[in-house]
Amino acid sequence: LLVGNLGGRLRQQIEALRTSTRRAQEQAELSRRLASALEQREVVRATVEHLDTTLATEAVLMQPGAEDRLIVVGGSGNTRPLDDLAQAAARWSWEHEAEAGNGTDTLPASPWRFMTLATARGKLAVLGVHAASRPREIDAGDLRLLQSVGDLTALALERTRLASDLESSRLTSETEWLRAALLSSVSHDLRTPLVSVLGAAESLASDDARLDAGARRELAAHVLEEAERLNRFVQNLLD
């Protein structure tokens, strides 16, 4: 009996060690995938696929959409639609930044369990797993894994959001620079023929008898030439 008891404990310890080692390796792989992700959809896909593999359950990631309603932005394969109870649990988790749903004190009847992903800059998403579909209940080790995955995902989402904001800022800066350069060029190119046209037109409009017919024809031709030049500039600008 003593040897059998010790042998059983040893087998449990070995299995726990194998599970811990496997999850550590899977967690390292998730960290690599998240670190190399350039867009939010890559982060979402890596997260839900990791939870689908490690916890053997469906997973979803939700974010506020139109009218601040939480919508699913990504899910593991064959993810079932969220019912009203699951939607309510996800909303409560988002509003209170706490876990809700299956296995918690808030809406425990829901088959889904949700947690809010946030950083120092604020809330980013809600992560949910279909706890009721697992062969066994979520234990303390599963919760630590879920929390770890949530922290990694939140940091990755924050990084992709910052990268997107920086890219938008860069594009805005370049747009403003191009706009200023265009206005400067246009103002110079349009002003030059316009000044010539105005000067020649004023000379033609004057009653100065010193302008003979040849001079007036020359001024008129100059006006026509500069007006055509101005027209070409305007057409190029429109193009």
Side-chain angles (χ1 to χ4, degrees):
L1 289 176
L2 179 61
V3 171
N5 188 27
L6 292 176
R9 290 184 181 182
L10 181 59
R11 284 193 298 271
Q12 292 177 355
Q13 292 174 358
I14 292 176
E15 183 61 30
L17 180 60
R18 288 174 177 172
T19 301
S20 176
T21 302
R22 185 182 69 252
R23 287 189 171 181
Q25 294 172 344
E26 293 169 343
Q27 201 81 338
E29 177 61 25
L30 175 64
S31 298
R32 285 192 292 270
R33 290 187 63 182
L34 293 179
S36 62
L38 300 178
E39 298 180 355
Q40 176 178 289
R41 65 173 180 269
E42 298 176 8
V43 174
V44 174
R45 183 169 60 251
T47 299
V48 296
E49 289 178 355
H50 177 77
L51 290 176
D52 187 28
T53 301
T54 56
L55 293 183
T57 184
E58 303 163 31
V60 294
L61 205 69
M62 307 176 70
Q63 288 183 323
E67 300 178 357
D68 203 30
R69 178 181 176 84
L70 288 174
I71 59 175
V72 176
V73 295
S76 53
N78 301 322
T79 300
R80 68 197 71 191
L82 301 182
D83 56 21
D84 293 339
L85 187 59
Q87 289 280 359
R91 167 59 58 181
W92 192 95
S93 176
W94 173 260
E95 292 177 349
H96 297 83
E97 297 189 42
E99 294 190 36
N102 189 281
T104 69
D105 295 331
T106 303
L107 300 174
S110 171
W112 289 84
R113 185 187 184 106
F114 296 95
M115 61 181 297
T116 300
L117 308 184
T119 63
R121 297 186 56 172
K123 297 181 291 186
L124 296 169
V126 172
L127 179 62
V129 293
H130 195 274
S133 64
R134 302 187 73 240
R136 58 180 179 82
E137 294 183 357
I138 293 180
D139 56 22
D142 296 332
L143 290 179
R144 286 193 298 270
L145 171 65
L146 189 59
Q147 185 63 53
S148 177
V149 172
D151 292 341
L152 290 174
T153 302
L155 291 175
L157 288 174
E158 181 72 13
R159 178 177 55 79
T160 56
R161 175 178 293 185
L162 289 175
S164 178
D165 292 343
L166 287 175
E167 179 66 14
S168 299
S169 177
R170 185 184 66 82
L171 291 177
T172 301
S173 177
E174 290 185 357
T175 301
E176 287 300 320
W177 179 84
L178 289 174
R179 176 177 175 273
L182 178 63
L183 289 177
S184 176
S185 177
V186 167
S187 62
H188 177 269
D189 291 341
L190 295 183
R191 188 183 300 275
T192 301
L194 187 58
V195 169
S196 299
V197 169
L198 290 175
E202 289 176 359
S203 298
L204 287 173
S206 66
D207 295 329
D208 192 351
R210 291 175 298 178
L211 291 177
D212 55 19
R216 290 181 179 276
R217 284 195 298 272
E218 184 179 351
L219 286 174
H222 183 65
V223 169
L224 179 60
E225 179 184 357
E226 292 299 320
E228 290 176 349
R229 180 184 175 192
L230 185 62
N231 183 61
R232 288 195 301 271
F233 283 147
V234 173
Q235 188 60 48
N236 289 337
L237 179 61
L238 292 178
D239 291 342

